[in-house]
Amino acid sequence: MTTENFISTIKEGYTSKGDFITLGAGILNGETIAETQIAIPLKTLNRHGLIAGATGTGKTKTIQVLSEQLSKKGIPVLMMDIKGDFSGIAAMGEEKPFITERHQKINIPFKPQQFPVELYTISEQNGVRLRATVSEFGPVLFSRILDLNETQAGVVSIVFKYCKDNEIPLLDLKDFKKVLNFATEEGKEEFEAEYGRISTASTGSILRKVIELEEQGAHLFFGELSFDINDFLRIDENGQGFVNIIRLTDIQDKPKLFSTFMLCLLSEIYNKMPEKGDAEQPEFVLFIDEAHLIFNEASNTLLDQIETIVKLIRSKGIGIYFITQNPQDVPSGVLAQLGLKIQHALRAFTANDRKAIKMTAENYPDSEFYDADELLTQLGIGEAFVTALNEKGIPTPLVATMMRAPESRMDVLTPEEIEESISKSKLYKKYKDTIEKESAAEILAKRIEKIQEEQAEIEEQKAEEKEEKQSSTRQNPIIKFLTSAAFISGLFRVIMMLFKKKR
């Protein structure tokens, strides 16, 4: 096929009538073709996406480019920063010779700039604190996070129902454990009367699952003040969407906490955001780095929940982008929902690697210009296969792309810069302190104390009654003799004798 055919095909596939973002320019036979700029319609960016590739091939910079371009269009972004790579978006970039050369090849201007950034945390790192209450999860979601069986999930539903019926706030894991213990101990009779008997074996199993979650740091996540998702949707004074970065570098070995947070976040966004229908651009875009941390540790029920949310959430104007080394890390049911795919190079060191590459190539449209499974191993740093959806929802041609460079800093903020950014944040002050108010743990502690006092009074009353009964039987020896049968019988005989003499 000729270069003219390639240019014609790519131009036709990537021309947008509406607003768009530009990722780079097409590559054919190792040459960058500046006329084939890869424009992705904003209208289709709520159709989700995948960014994949081996370590060091440019995934992080691609995420940075997408976030910058979305921010410029006034679209807020949320990024999961597991490796600590993204904070540099808050600082001005620097034009270097290799960047100048790249942008000359793709014929896209390069303008160093910085973007509005907010840094968050769900762990012990510093940042705007993200929290949610146990009640906000609801019994079904909470049971799925704990990977409970049907019987155990029923117990959780009873706990939530009891708290609702009695207007007891269920805020953190301490509250949940308190109610669970109360149901089989001090409040056993109350629970059995209203909701039926609860097995101690079931509550024991549930408690162990809760403790496992706590050990991964979930106690920092559950509580108040709950985060308002509208704070993710801010636009700065220049009309740029905020790039919200959640610092997660200390939870790579805590997949349970990560999947719990992600499912909570997706559910909250889905439930709170209004329907948008066929909007001209997304309201909000999420980038989930190291996506395998969600999928590898998730139960089947949790995977089903994530897949359902991914299918439905795009109607709210939300785009979700999964970042991982291999597309096979993403379940097929989720992978089928991803409209934009950006595939960086894969490396073939073993026979299994080569098989994986062939399978990866099958996820992309056939191309008359490329042998995809061969070129996948030959793409350079900052190059990627791209296929998207056009404005009619039709997949665009697969194109090897020279990606544009980030305009913000291609390195991270220093610790001092991070602390300065956080200290200036209004949201940091808003969510900094945990709100300690009376909830299930405190309410039930008082109720247990009252029950114990009442039980003590009952025991004391029983003891007094027993003492009175015993006292009534312990008589004076004289009184005991005078009231004995022998004395009364003898007295009766004496009286009868006196009566006879008198007659």
Side-chain angles (χ1 to χ4, degrees):
M1 301 300 291
T2 66
T3 301
E4 289 75 18
N5 287 336
F6 175 76
I7 293 172
S8 175
T9 300
I10 301 306
K11 276 188 172 182
E12 182 180 354
Y14 288 90
T15 297
S16 177
K17 294 180 181 178
D19 206 353
F20 58 89
I21 62 174
T22 305
L23 298 183
I27 301 171
L28 181 65
N29 299 324
E31 180 184 354
T32 303
I33 312 297
E35 298 97 311
T36 58
Q37 293 192 354
I38 309 306
I40 310 298
L42 291 183
K43 189 173 184 178
T44 66
L45 288 177
N46 67 333
R47 299 298 184 92
H48 313 317
L50 172 74
I51 302 168
T55 300
T57 56
K59 296 191 303 295
T60 298
K61 299 302 178 279
T62 293
I63 302 166
Q64 194 168 342
V65 164
L66 283 168
S67 299
E68 291 174 353
Q69 298 306 310
L70 290 166
S71 176
K72 283 183 178 182
K73 299 294 182 179
I75 301 170
V77 168
L78 178 62
M79 307 168 71
M80 308 295 134
D81 193 4
I82 291 180
K83 300 190 295 292
D85 293 334
F86 299 127
S87 61
I89 296 175
M92 184 80 69
E94 180 183 353
E95 186 166 1
K96 298 180 179 180
F98 75 91
I99 294 178
T100 302
E101 181 183 357
R102 175 178 290 257
H103 276 255
Q104 285 174 347
K105 286 182 178 180
I106 62 179
N107 195 26
I108 297 175
F110 182 85
K111 180 184 177 182
Q113 58 183 299
Q114 63 191 69
F115 296 84
V117 165
E118 194 75 67
L119 300 173
Y120 298 83
T121 182
I122 63 170
S123 59
E124 294 182 352
Q125 289 184 300
N126 199 10
V128 178
R129 176 65 57 184
L130 296 174
R131 298 186 190 87
T133 66
V134 173
S135 292
E136 287 169 336
F137 271 71
V140 175
L141 195 57
F142 195 69
S143 297
R144 287 180 176 174
I145 286 165
L146 296 177
D147 193 20
L148 303 180
N149 62 33
E150 187 176 346
T151 301
Q152 294 162 350
V155 173
V156 171
S157 295
I158 290 173
V159 168
F160 275 77
K161 182 71 165 59
Y162 173 81
C163 290
K164 182 179 179 181
D165 291 346
N166 292 273
E167 298 183 347
I168 297 175
L170 199 57
L171 304 182
D172 53 26
L173 295 179
K174 178 180 64 177
D175 288 335
F176 181 81
K177 290 192 298 182
K178 192 71 173 181
V179 182
L180 203 59
N181 283 321
F182 183 74
T184 54
E185 295 178 5
E186 294 86 353
K188 181 179 179 180
E189 293 182 4
E190 180 183 350
F191 266 82
E192 286 188 5
E194 293 292 328
Y195 309 103
R197 183 176 176 274
I198 294 178
S199 165
T200 54
S202 293
T203 57
S205 297
I206 297 168
L207 278 172
R208 286 192 291 273
K209 295 289 184 70
V210 173
I211 291 170
E212 178 187 350
L213 195 59
E214 280 184 315
E215 288 177 346
Q216 294 206 7
H219 63 286
L220 296 171
F221 176 62
F222 287 97
E224 285 196 327
L225 183 63
S226 293
F227 189 78
D228 182 355
I229 62 164
N230 289 309
D231 285 331
F232 284 140
L233 307 179
R234 294 180 300 149
I235 308 295
D236 76 354
E237 63 276 6
N238 299 315
Q240 296 187 125
F242 264 82
V243 179
N244 303 285
I245 300 174
I246 303 181
R247 307 177 67 203
L248 300 169
T249 55
D250 59 345
I251 71 161
Q252 293 190 41
D253 60 343
K254 302 172 183 177
K256 193 80 172 179
L257 175 59
F258 184 51
S259 58
T260 296
F261 165 69
M262 282 309 309
L263 189 53
C264 172
L265 178 65
L266 293 175
S267 298
E268 185 78 0
I269 291 173
Y270 177 72
N271 291 326
K272 296 288 181 66
M273 294 288 285
E275 291 285 339
K276 288 295 180 181
D278 193 19
E280 291 302 312
Q281 66 178 47
E283 292 291 308
F284 186 49
V285 172
L286 287 81
F287 291 95
I288 304 175
D289 198 8
E290 302 293 329
H292 64 276
L293 289 179
I294 297 178
F295 299 120
N296 288 356
E297 297 294 328
S299 64
N300 289 333
T301 52
L302 195 55
L303 287 175
D304 290 342
Q305 182 78 9
I306 293 172
E307 184 176 335
T308 299
I309 291 174
V310 169
K311 287 178 180 178
L312 299 176
I313 203 169
R314 67 186 183 195
S315 67
K316 306 295 184 93
I318 309 298
I320 303 174
Y321 289 75
F322 297 98
I323 299 92
T324 188
Q325 291 196 22
N326 195 310
Q328 307 307 318
D329 294 335
V330 181
S332 57
V334 175
L335 196 61
Q337 304 298 316
L338 310 182
L340 173 62
K341 294 185 177 72
I342 301 175
Q343 177 66 60
H344 288 272
L346 293 174
R347 305 302 182 211
F349 299 110
T350 67
N352 285 336
D353 290 340
R354 289 191 288 274
K355 289 178 183 179
I357 288 171
K358 286 185 179 294
M359 291 179 64
T360 297
E362 291 174 0
N363 289 318
Y364 300 104
D366 292 333
S367 172
E368 56 187 314
F369 303 107
Y370 308 107
D371 183 351
D373 57 348
E374 181 179 343
L375 190 55
L376 270 175
T377 63
Q378 300 172 7
L379 292 169
I381 296 173
E383 298 175 0
F385 270 134
V386 175
T387 181
L389 298 176
N390 65 19
E391 288 163 320
K392 295 181 180 180
I394 301 171
T396 60
L398 183 66
V399 56
T401 304
M402 174 74 74
M403 304 293 287
R404 69 188 300 167
E407 296 175 323
S408 57
R409 184 190 292 178
M410 294 175 66
D411 198 359
V412 299
L413 298 181
T414 65
E416 293 75 21
E417 288 174 323
I418 288 175
E419 293 304 314
E420 182 181 1
S421 174
I422 293 171
S423 67
K424 292 179 179 178
S425 168
K426 294 179 181 179
L427 293 185
Y428 176 74
K429 298 176 179 67
K430 177 179 178 181
Y431 294 104
K432 178 183 177 182
D433 298 320
T434 303
I435 296 178
E436 295 289 350
K437 68 179 185 181
E438 189 174 63
S439 56
E442 292 76 25
I443 292 171
L444 291 184
K446 291 179 180 179
R447 188 169 294 185
I448 290 170
E449 185 178 354
K450 184 177 179 181
I451 290 172
Q452 290 173 341
E453 288 176 355
E454 291 174 350
Q455 190 65 36
E457 289 178 3
I458 292 171
E459 293 299 325
E460 185 178 348
Q461 186 176 352
K462 286 181 179 179
E464 289 176 356
E465 290 174 354
K466 183 177 180 181
E467 180 64 28
E468 288 177 2
K469 187 175 181 180
Q470 290 176 343
S471 296
S472 65
T473 60
R474 291 197 298 267
Q475 298 176 346
N476 184 290
I478 296 174
I479 295 175
K480 187 175 182 179
F481 171 73
L482 292 176
T483 57
S484 66
F487 176 79
I488 293 173
S489 176
L491 181 62
F492 179 76
R493 287 196 299 270
V494 170
I495 292 172
M496 289 301 294
M497 289 173 60
L498 292 173
F499 180 74
K500 286 179 181 180
K501 285 182 179 182
K502 190 175 181 180
R503 291 183 63 184

